[in-house]
Amino acid sequence: MSEESDLYADRGKNLPTQGSRAVSRPRECPPLPALTSCGCTVPPLLLQSAPRLWALSPRSDPHPLGHMGSRSPSRTLRLWGPRSLGVALGVFMTIGFALQLCGGPFQRRLPGLQLLQPWTSSPQPASLSCPPRQHLVFLKTHKSGSSSVLNLLHRYGDRHGLRFALPARYQFGYPRPFQASRVKGYHPQDEGTPSSFHILCHHMRFNLKEVLRVMPSDSFFFSIVRDPAAMARSAFSYYRSTSPAFRKAPSLAAFLANPRAFYQPGARGDHYARNLLWFDFGLPIPPEMRPQRGNLQPPNPPYTPDPNALFQPAPTMAQGHGQTSSPASVSSSFMQWSLAWLDSVFDLVLVSEYFDESLVLLADALCWELDDVVGFMHNAQAWGQPAEEDGQLAARARAWNSLDWTLYLHFNRSLWARAKQYGRGRLESAVAELRARREALAKHCLVGGKALDPQYITDRRFRPFQFGSGKVLGYVLRSGLSSQAQEECELLATPELQYKDKLDAKQFPPTAALPLKTSSLLSP
């Protein structure tokens, strides 16, 4: 078997498991028949009778007819006589009664179940084994493909009438940690009552305590990460005017060759220049990497990169053969604590390099339809002809952003652990179906069937915000679309800022100005 054909099989080897959730969440009810751990009270009589009913049921013996020879119709009829049927009926009544007692806790367990049916190309909704999750917290990390995920959430929430926790402008006070008070329409006096918000998804620096003041405790937490080598290139282009370290460097190669010559810890905007993912996740800087008092220069990179030994292309890392140890100068206990804490909070972390696979697994985790995660890429920059990746430059970027590199390796492995559980065949089929649907939508909706240079986008509703030295691509809709297709294509093509404004106006409609009384204006 070739290495490529065995890619999915190897990705699940020696992968870490997710830690138990440490945040305040409702207790989950395990699968039946372990009913007593639901956190609900079951009458003693029911507890005593349920095991007996299971024992009396013919299904309690895996081979009830093994000693009786072949199953003749008469034997089957005698086995399932009136007495046995009554026992079976009692079992089902017992289960139904227990489910009613568990009520909400058992229902909260259902979203965590795997979909049993594979994705199909049928336009009809599939029969799902669990209700769709609609309480969502998405940590929108920078320069990692998060704007494309945001469009999915905007459209899903808009279509289902969900309420977004929106910032007053476009970010929640970033780069300062998230504060509940920055959510538009949030009132502290409402704490203790069920939250009125369904989705929190705009840029913030993560702060779990404050997030839980706004969002329901049963919310699904997820985020996205990207290889620091690719992320560094995008961040250098986009934040060149914002980060003093980037601004002083003539090129990314010059910056990474000697980052200490340009980077100053604590300088406003320089969080974009090093370990941006770590910063967005709200994690503390390890003591070993903090500058000493009186010394403004950051410490040396935590380890010397060896492009041939340590760093491999992303597909190889997905197989589990990449470097997975924590940076040498950072204590392993600190890194293990940080990763374990993230695992206890986030239900899923997507990987930008495997975006389509991530979307399929996200839809599965949320019990959504495949069409719910079909969309266009947003906030992508035009790079011209893609150049071959410089191995040494990539190694330097990963070494300088060593904390981000550790995060990426960890979540890359956990993603493929989930993919292995989902199933190779199912995943390949679902990814192919997702790409086919996206391509069909692009041909139907878009001029040229792809993203275009912003110079061709004259409609301001679809022109993305231009920032940084690179051009941010957008979309132009085809003419002659039906009214229904026009509406759907507009939502697919709407950039994040314009869509946020649309949701804001929908949730907080402007009040009509009251007519002024002339007499009151003229009176002294």
Side-chain angles (χ1 to χ4, degrees):
M1 183 180 294
S2 66
E3 179 178 345
E4 181 178 358
S5 64
D6 199 40
L7 183 62
Y8 287 88
D10 290 340
R11 279 168 174 161
K13 295 179 180 178
N14 302 321
L15 297 175
T17 57
Q18 296 243 342
S20 59
R21 190 167 303 284
V23 297
S24 175
R25 304 283 184 87
R27 294 185 60 184
E28 295 184 341
C29 185
L32 292 174
L35 301 173
T36 56
S37 58
C38 293
C40 52
T41 302
V42 182
L45 181 60
L46 180 61
L47 292 178
Q48 295 170 8
S49 61
R52 277 200 302 274
L53 291 171
W54 282 101
L56 289 172
S57 171
R59 289 191 176 272
S60 63
D61 181 356
H63 303 286
L65 301 178
H67 60 285
M68 299 174 63
S70 61
R71 294 189 182 185
S72 65
S74 60
R75 273 183 190 158
T76 304
L77 183 60
R78 285 198 300 269
L79 178 65
W80 291 102
R83 183 174 181 273
S84 297
L85 291 176
V87 170
L89 180 61
V91 169
F92 294 135
M93 292 178 63
T94 301
I95 295 174
F97 184 60
L99 292 180
Q100 290 182 344
L101 289 176
C102 286
F106 183 79
Q107 293 176 8
R108 285 191 289 270
R109 168 65 178 148
L110 291 178
L113 299 177
Q114 293 261 331
L115 292 181
L116 299 179
Q117 299 297 327
W119 296 115
T120 66
S121 58
S122 171
Q124 299 300 324
S127 177
L128 300 179
S129 60
C130 49
R133 301 289 292 268
Q134 295 187 337
H135 290 156
L136 311 173
V137 175
F138 174 57
L139 175 58
K140 188 179 185 296
T141 53
H142 290 78
K143 312 314 300 173
S144 57
S146 60
S147 294
S148 302
V149 180
L150 189 67
N151 179 263
L152 303 176
L153 296 175
H154 280 166
R155 289 187 290 113
Y156 184 89
D158 193 14
R159 184 166 60 252
H160 290 85
L162 306 184
R163 184 173 175 83
F164 288 82
L166 298 172
R169 301 193 66 183
Y170 300 106
Q171 300 183 3
F172 291 106
Y174 189 87
R176 291 178 292 277
F178 174 83
Q179 295 292 323
S181 58
R182 293 188 175 275
V183 175
K184 194 170 182 180
Y186 168 77
H187 304 290
Q189 61 269 25
D190 294 339
E191 290 187 17
T193 61
S195 174
S196 62
F197 298 110
H198 295 89
I199 301 177
L200 173 66
C201 59
H202 293 87
H203 273 312
M204 62 174 165
R205 188 180 185 199
F206 191 65
N207 182 354
L208 178 62
K209 180 180 178 181
E210 290 292 307
V211 168
L212 290 176
R213 293 179 63 189
V214 176
M215 297 300 297
S217 59
D218 66 343
S219 296
F220 183 93
F221 284 67
F222 70 110
S223 186
I224 185 169
V225 296
R226 186 182 185 186
D227 185 340
M231 194 170 176
R233 182 187 182 194
S234 181
F236 185 85
S237 171
Y238 199 80
Y239 297 115
R240 187 83 181 272
S241 63
T242 305
S243 169
F246 286 160
R247 189 166 56 245
K248 291 182 289 186
S251 65
L252 177 61
F255 173 79
L256 292 175
N258 187 16
R260 292 180 297 163
F262 308 102
Y263 177 81
Q264 182 175 342
R268 182 178 177 85
D270 267 2
H271 65 281
Y272 293 115
R274 191 179 196 192
N275 293 314
L276 181 54
L277 284 173
W278 190 273
F279 184 87
D280 284 354
F281 274 97
L283 295 169
I285 299 300
E288 298 88 341
M289 297 183 67
R290 297 172 188 165
Q292 300 297 321
R293 184 182 299 274
N295 178 18
L296 296 181
Q297 291 298 326
N300 291 324
Y303 51 88
T304 304
D306 179 354
N308 297 319
L310 292 182
F311 305 108
Q312 304 293 336
T316 306
M317 292 185 299
Q319 297 176 52
H321 301 307
Q323 171 71 5
T324 58
S325 60
S326 59
S329 68
V330 178
S331 67
S332 59
S333 60
F334 180 89
M335 298 303 300
Q336 290 172 4
W337 175 90
S338 301
L339 296 176
W341 183 82
L342 290 175
D343 283 344
S344 73
V345 174
F346 287 88
D347 299 282
L348 175 64
V349 176
L350 317 180
V351 176
S352 180
E353 282 72 19
Y354 303 101
F355 191 71
D356 291 342
E357 290 85 351
S358 296
L359 291 182
V360 169
L361 296 176
L362 176 66
D364 177 58
L366 297 179
C367 289
W368 286 9
E369 299 286 352
L370 183 61
D371 282 334
D372 293 329
V373 295
V374 176
F376 301 150
M377 299 301 293
H378 283 266
N379 212 32
Q381 293 177 268
W383 295 106
Q385 290 294 333
E388 290 188 12
E389 181 178 321
D390 185 331
Q392 186 178 25
L393 193 67
R396 287 176 175 173
R398 291 163 181 157
W400 174 247
N401 298 283
S402 59
L403 300 179
D404 283 5
W405 178 238
T406 302
L407 288 180
Y408 179 81
L409 288 174
H410 178 75
F411 289 124
N412 187 55
R413 291 168 66 85
S414 67
L415 179 83
W416 290 107
R418 185 182 287 259
K420 181 180 180 181
Q421 183 182 15
Y422 184 87
R424 171 182 174 177
R426 289 184 66 206
L427 185 60
E428 289 178 343
S429 175
V431 168
E433 182 65 29
L434 182 146
R435 290 171 177 168
R437 297 189 190 188
R438 180 190 294 140
E439 183 179 358
L441 278 174
K443 289 180 179 180
H444 183 70
C445 292
L446 307 175
V447 171
K450 61 181 181 179
L452 300 176
D453 189 289
Q455 66 176 321
Y456 301 111
I457 306 173
T458 58
D459 191 332
R460 296 181 62 183
R461 295 177 301 164
F462 308 120
R463 195 173 196 275
F465 177 64
Q466 300 298 310
F467 190 79
S469 57
K471 294 180 179 180
V472 180
L473 304 178
Y475 300 102
V476 177
L477 299 187
R478 294 175 58 243
S479 59
L481 297 172
S482 66
S483 58
Q484 181 178 357
Q486 178 77 22
E487 180 181 1
E488 182 62 26
C489 293
E490 286 181 358
L491 299 181
L492 285 162
T494 301
E496 61 180 284
L497 301 190
Q498 288 92 320
Y499 214 137
K500 185 269 174 185
D501 289 339
K502 176 180 181 295
L503 296 171
D504 200 317
K506 189 174 182 179
Q507 287 187 196
F508 305 97
T511 56
L514 296 176
L516 298 177
K517 294 183 179 181
T518 306
S519 57
S520 63
L521 292 176
L522 298 178
S523 60

